[in-house]
Amino acid sequence: MKTSFMGWLCLGFSVFFSHISLAQDETYLLDSLVKNELPNNAPGTAIYVTKGNQILYQKAIGKSNIEQDVDLSLDHVFRLGSVSKQFTACAILKLIEEGKLSLQDDIRIYIPDFPKKNKIITIEALLTHTAGVRNYTGLVSFTEELKRKDLSPMALINLFKDEPLEYEPGTDYKYTNSGYILLGYIIEKVTGQTYATYIEETIFKPLGMKHSYFDNPDHVIKGRVSGYSQRNGSYQNANFLSMTLPYAAGSLASTPIDIQIWYHALYDGKFLKPETLKNALTSYKLINGRSTGYGYGWEIGNIKGILSVKHVGLINGFYTYVAYLPEEQIAISIFRNSDSPADLDILASKMLAVTLGKPYITHEIILTDAQLETYQGVYTLNNGEQYRIRLEDGRLMYYNLGGTKTQLIPNAKDQFTLGSSLLTLSFNRNQHNKIDNFIMCGTGIASNGYRKDAKITVQNKIPISLKSLQRYVGRYQFNLGPIFEVLLENNKLYGQVGHDKKELVPFSQHKFFARDLDATLIFQIDSKGRVTGLTKIQNSDMTALKL
C-alpha cells in the first residue's frame, strides 16, 4: 500500500514540492477513509493532497494495467473527463483578458451558422451551463457506432445545433457538455490554432505541466494508464471512445501531480489575474437571483464552511475528481482508471476536512416516533423540486415522488444527516413551534426547503403471518412490461425485476410499501381470497396479473 515518488520525480520536483507529514493520527485517519470509502476491487486509484508547495498525503493503489500486472503510480497519466472543463474555461478567460473576447459576446459572432433561437446566447452562458443548449451526449443520434468515429469540431456542433433550447438563456441551470464544445470551437476561431495546440502551448508548456496532453490514441504518451469498466461482476477493457468527441468538454489527460502544479500556478497569478480567477470561482446567479452552484468551469462548494471549487470527470474507463480550497491553498486529486461508481466527493471532502483539523463527526441521537412525526411534510426546494419526508416503520425517510428513499438520522435538536452523505438538514420552527422549513447544507451550495400545506400520514409496519405472506409470492406480468417477482426470504417479502430487489413492508391489508423506494403495491384478491394481481403506484399506476 505504501508508495514513493519515482527517482526522476524526486529530482525534477524537489524544488517545487517539499514533503511535510501530517500528525500520525491524521495520516492514519486518511488511510482509514481511503480504505473504507473506495471500492477494494477497483483496478487502481491515485490520491494526491498538497498545501501550497507541500505534500500532505500521497497514495497509489492497484494496477495501471491489469493485463500486464503493472502497479499504479502517481506519475501515471489519466483521462480527465469533465475535469477538462476548467482548462477550457480558463483559456476563454485568458482570451478575454487579452481583449479578444467578452463574456457578453453573442456566440454567433464566432459561430455564424449556429441557428438563431430568438435569444442571445452569451459566452458566459456557455461557461455556466445556463444557455439552454441541449447536451449532445444525451441525443438519440449519439450512438455507440458514432462514439467510434472521429469528428471535426464543426461536425460535432452539427449534432446539436438545430435542437431547440431547453429553456431561455439565464433562466435555469442544466449541466451540458455542448456548451464547452462550442467554447472549444470559439477558441479555435479566435486563435487560429486547434484547441489541443492552444491548450498545450498556452497552459501546459508554460506552466511546466510536462505530463498533460490532449488525449490522442495515435500519440505515444509515456505512462498512460489503461481504462476499465465493470460488467457482470468483472472488469473489462473500457469501450473505445474517439477523443474527438469529448473535445473541449473532456478530452484532456494529466497526472495528479500536474493538477497540483496547475492550482499552484493559478493561485500565484501565473495564468489569470486574481480578479478574473475570483469571478471564475464564484457561483453564478440566474436572472431570478438563484445561485447555481457552478462558476466558470468549476462547481462551487464548501468544506466545513470553507470555500471549495471542484469537479468530477467520468469518461469511458476513468473516474476523476479534483478539488481546491483557495483560502487554504489545499488541493486534492483522486484519479481512478475505472468508471465504476464511487462517491469521490464524499471521500475527498472527508479527507480535506481532516487536513483542516475539522473532521466530519456526527453522533446519532434517539427521538421518539411522536417527535419524528413532527418533521413529516412536503417541502419545495429553491429549484422547484418537491421532496417528501415521511415516518415509515420508525424511520424518517426523505425522497422525491417515485424516487429513492434516504433515511434522515437525527444528530442534534432539529438537525438530521441525510443517510451516509455529508448533507445536513437543519429545521426551523415558526412562532407556534411548528416546523416551517429546513436549510440543507453539505459540500455544495446551501438549499432551502419550504414546507407546503399538505398532509403526510405515518406508515407503520403491521404484523402479518408467514402463511399470509406466502400467498403473495409469485410472478406478475405487467402489460407490455417486465416480469415482476415477489419472493419470500427470511420471513420478509421482496419485489424483484431483473437483479433489482426491494424489501416490501406491509402497512395495511394487502398493501405494502417498498423500503428504499417510493413505490406502493396493492394486491388484488378475488372472492375466494386468492391473489390475482397487483397495482404498483410509483409516479403513475401500473397493473399486473399473477401468472
Side-chain angles (χ1 to χ4, degrees), residues 451-521:
R451 194 177 193 177
K452 293 181 61 180
D453 185 16
K455 185 175 178 58
I456 296 288
T457 57
V458 175
Q459 288 185 334
N460 285 320
K461 181 179 181 180
I462 62 171
I464 186 169
S465 68
L466 181 60
K467 182 178 179 180
S468 295
L469 286 175
Q470 288 172 335
R471 64 175 171 167
Y472 300 111
V473 173
R475 303 172 76 241
Y476 298 78
Q477 175 67 65
F478 286 103
N479 184 29
L480 300 177
I483 296 292
F484 181 80
E485 291 188 80
V486 176
L487 312 170
L488 183 62
E489 298 177 1
N490 299 320
N491 297 332
K492 293 181 179 180
L493 219 58
Y494 293 87
Q496 181 169 326
V497 177
H499 297 291
D500 186 23
K501 184 166 67 174
K502 306 291 185 186
E503 181 185 352
L504 303 176
V505 182
F507 69 97
S508 186
Q509 188 177 26
H510 309 310
K511 295 181 179 180
F512 294 74
F513 66 81
R515 175 75 75 183
D516 301 315
L517 183 71
D518 179 33
T520 299
L521 296 183

Side-chain angles (χ1 to χ4, degrees), residues 408-482:
L408 287 171
I409 302 170
N411 55 54
K413 178 177 172 54
D414 290 335
Q415 183 173 293
F416 294 77
T417 299
L418 187 61
S420 59
S421 74
L422 299 179
L423 289 170
T424 297
L425 274 68
S426 299
F427 290 84
N428 298 308
R429 297 176 179 270
N430 60 23
Q431 58 185 351
H432 304 293
N433 202 35
K434 302 293 184 181
I435 298 299
D436 187 57
N437 61 74
F438 65 71
I439 299 174
M440 181 186 290
C441 297
T443 61
I445 296 295
S447 179
N448 294 293
Y450 301 95
R451 194 177 193 177
K452 293 181 61 180
D453 185 16
K455 185 175 178 58
I456 296 288
T457 57
V458 175
Q459 288 185 334
N460 285 320
K461 181 179 181 180
I462 62 171
I464 186 169
S465 68
L466 181 60
K467 182 178 179 180
S468 295
L469 286 175
Q470 288 172 335
R471 64 175 171 167
Y472 300 111
V473 173
R475 303 172 76 241
Y476 298 78
Q477 175 67 65
F478 286 103
N479 184 29
L480 300 177

Side-chain angles (χ1 to χ4, degrees), residues 30 32-38 45 47 321 332 334 343-353 422:
L30 291 176
S32 297
L33 288 172
V34 170
K35 182 178 180 180
N36 293 334
E37 298 288 344
L38 278 180
T45 304
I47 304 173
Y321 179 97
I332 184 170
I334 306 177
D343 198 330
L344 300 185
D345 184 59
I346 286 183
L347 172 58
S349 298
K350 288 182 176 180
M351 294 182 72
L352 289 169
L422 299 179

